Amino acid sequence: MSDADGGASLDENRDACDRGDNPAVRRLADWDADRLEALAEEHGTPLYVTDLDRVAENCTRLRDAFPDAEVRYAVKAHTGRAVLETVRDAGLPAECASAGEVHRALGAGFSGSEVQYTAVNPPAADLDYVVDAWREYPELTITVGAADTADRLRERGFDGRLCVRVNPGVGAGHHEKVQTGANAKFGVPYDRAVDLVESASEAFDLVGIHAHAGSGISGDDLANHRELVRRMGELARDVSAAGVDLEFVDVGGGFGVPYLETEPALDLAAVAEATREALGNLDATLAVEPGRYVVADAGVLLTRVNTVKETPETVVTGVDAGMTTLLRPAMYDAYHAIRNLTSESSDRDDADASDNADARGTVGSTVVGPICESSDVFCENRPLPRPERGDLLAVGNAGAYGYEMASTYNSRPRPAEVALEGGDAALVRRRETLTDLTEVESR
Ligand code: LLP
């Protein structure tokens, strides 16, 4: 790392991170309800709304916190073109997990040197595509997590910039399903990494080593992050003792965001400080590659209540978004804040707002989607304003792994997406239609 211990002080970083014009977190309550209602009215629901200005702010806050590092955007969190262009304009390169993501990044204008492809058990078609792309963009970097993948690249004639992904033996993250660091699927075993780096440096331009602990790391998981970084620092020094000069050491992404309204924002300055400290002195540049942190609080999902059912246990609130629109609650039991915008607007319209709120009251609400699966549930028995058919709900922190993990299961077309930028709103992804569902079939 060019400046392992001489960077900005923790206090300076914290000031930069917490500047009033770029707060560390944007809560669901901070979104303008009238604007969201107007968008739902115009474009229908379910609807993703992505605030590109907030994406840019998040990029700035990350770069301020890691002034000496390369901050890359893990595009898998949100690959929409408008987001990619915003991130590119903010100066972050793209970390891509597939040929499709590389294709999107190049299409959005990232240069070859701004594209890092991290191959995970890559299908032949991905390697074919990326090696072809490399012939046109020789500055792109490929990260391999197995000696076998390096061999497959060599067979295709690739001798460009290579990075070795290491399994650091330590994982972290909000759910066991997103902890990668100690999972054998990812990266070469730590104790074989020096050998692979050494031998690969003969056939490729060996530029870096890489590891990723997992996703959604909170302040409480910092110990694991620190340990991963420490191991990577040590490995980098071993590699350099073996005579291989590294350009960068990439310690992955995974910076968490507060999904709970009561959870504090991640102290990015503390994470940056811990990272620098744990890495120790190196001649290589530190790289980090957050995805979620860049886009999570820049997005909300709007959905309308279509069915209200009182049961002895709960009020079942049926909405028009489901696990096919936002998979995270079903897949990881993830918590997403939910706000009833309509109940607020009736409060706002009423001269005596508090009476109106009392009239609605709060009930234990189980918000469910239209998918024929019992896991199609956004929350269970959560205290929310008593729902009425037609109410508009906003689901918070939907910008990361929201649209990206949407599917057409149950033959439900995927939703539309609107992007906000400098006061303007534009439809950036049209709603899929029933015809779209069958378009790829030949009979
Ligand atoms: N780098 C690598 C190699 C990764 O595998 C990932 C995420 C990242 C960076 C970015 O992690 P982030 O900063 O976004 O946490 N669908 C799950 C998250 C899976 C993340 C997979 N890899 C979720 O919705 O929580």
Side-chain angles (χ1 to χ4, degrees):
M1 172 181 182
S2 52
D3 192 356
D5 43 18
S9 76
L10 183 55
D11 283 345
E12 278 165 0
N13 277 352
R14 193 164 278 136
D15 286 350
C17 293
D18 261 338
R19 279 200 316 254
D21 56 347
N22 189 355
V25 63
R26 182 179 198 185
R27 307 273 179 189
L28 181 56
D30 299 332
W31 288 78
D32 178 344
D34 289 337
R35 190 160 194 212
L36 294 177
E37 276 168 8
L39 290 171
E41 200 57 47
E42 183 178 350
H43 299 283
T45 54
L47 180 71
Y48 273 103
V49 179
T50 306
D51 184 342
L52 300 177
D53 296 326
R54 181 61 185 165
V55 172
E57 285 176 9
N58 289 337
C59 293
T60 301
R61 214 166 42 263
L62 282 161
R63 292 188 62 176
D64 286 349
F66 290 91
D68 311 311
E70 177 161 294
V71 181
R72 303 167 172 163
Y73 170 52
V75 309
K76 61 172 72 67
H78 192 308
T79 59
R81 189 179 172 108
V83 166
L84 294 185
E85 287 177 353
T86 303
V87 170
R88 188 207 60 205
D89 289 348
L92 273 58
E95 187 271 333
C96 306
S98 67
E101 289 187 1
V102 171
H103 177 69
R104 281 178 178 274
L106 293 172
F110 286 91
S111 66
S113 64
E114 292 171 327
V115 172
Q116 176 99 28
Y117 163 55
T118 311
V120 178
N121 301 327
D126 279 39
L127 295 184
D128 290 345
Y129 174 86
V130 176
V131 171
D132 273 355
W134 162 73
R135 294 188 203 286
E136 200 177 333
Y137 301 91
E139 295 300 311
L140 67 72
T141 303
I142 303 183
T143 297
V144 295
D148 192 42
T149 308
D151 292 343
R152 293 166 72 203
L153 286 170
R154 208 167 26 214
E155 285 160 19
R156 287 166 170 78
F158 177 78
D159 62 1
R161 293 167 55 84
L162 193 88
C163 167
V164 171
R165 180 172 185 169
V166 179
N167 184 321
V170 49
H174 68 82
H175 188 278
E176 63 178 75
K177 285 188 182 154
V178 299
Q179 301 184 1
T180 47
N183 182 330
K185 172 175 169 181
F186 302 99
V188 299
Y190 186 80
D191 55 5
R192 295 188 204 157
V194 177
D195 285 350
L196 178 62
V197 167
E198 252 190 298
S199 62
S201 70
E202 285 159 25
F204 304 95
D205 177 12
L206 203 298
V207 290
I209 53 173
H210 169 283
H212 173 70
S215 198
I217 303 171
S218 69
D220 302 340
D221 293 322
L222 220 48
N224 285 8
H225 171 73
R226 204 189 294 264
E227 179 55 16
L228 175 141
V229 177
R230 193 192 65 71
R231 291 183 192 189
M232 292 303 282
E234 214 167 272
L235 182 63
R237 282 181 286 276
D238 290 349
V239 164
S240 133
V244 181
D245 286 337
L246 295 176
E247 183 183 303
F248 65 82
V249 176
D250 187 331
V251 298
F255 305 155
V257 299
Y259 283 93
L260 282 165
E261 293 98 323
T262 50
E263 203 181 331
L266 184 68
D267 186 343
L268 207 53
V271 176
E273 182 76 359
T275 307
R276 266 193 291 270
E277 241 174 53
L279 195 64
N281 269 318
L282 283 185
D283 282 331
T285 301
L286 166 70
V288 291
E289 50 184 39
R292 184 188 316 272
Y293 194 91
V294 174
V295 282
D297 71 358
V300 293
L301 169 64
L302 300 179
T303 182
R304 240 180 240 291
V305 175
N306 51 41
T307 312
V308 177
K309 183 167 67 177
E310 306 264 352
T311 72
E313 312 88 43
T314 187
V315 174
V316 178
T317 307
V319 296
D320 58 9
M323 63 189 286
T324 52
T325 332
L326 178 67
L327 180 62
R328 302 191 73 259
M331 185 149 174
Y332 313 116
D333 288 327
Y335 180 97
H336 282 262
I338 296 178
R339 188 174 155 198
N340 187 322
L341 301 174
T342 309
S343 77
E344 291 174 25
S345 77
S346 37
D347 291 355
R348 288 196 301 276
D349 293 347
D350 199 284
D352 191 347
S354 56
D355 279 1
N356 198 317
D358 285 350
R360 272 259 185 155
T362 296
V363 289
S365 179
T366 296
V367 179
V368 300
I371 306 302
C372 215
E373 287 258 358
S374 50
S375 56
D376 185 30
V377 176
F378 285 118
C379 67
E380 277 181 68
N381 239 334
R382 189 180 299 175
L384 287 172
R386 180 173 286 284
E388 288 174 14
R389 202 189 315 144
D391 281 355
L392 182 66
L393 307 189
V395 182
N397 266 335
Y401 307 107
Y403 189 95
E404 214 51 45
M405 294 174 82
S407 75
T408 58
Y409 178 45
N410 268 204
S411 286
R412 294 215 162 267
R414 289 182 296 177
E417 183 184 8
V418 165
L420 310 178
E421 195 171 26
D424 293 335
L427 183 70
V428 289
R429 201 138 34 174
R430 71 163 170 83
R431 185 175 304 288
E432 287 179 353
T433 63
L434 296 181
T435 313
D436 289 325
L437 292 173
T438 50
E439 211 166 42
V440 292
E441 289 174 26
S442 54
R443 60 168 291 180

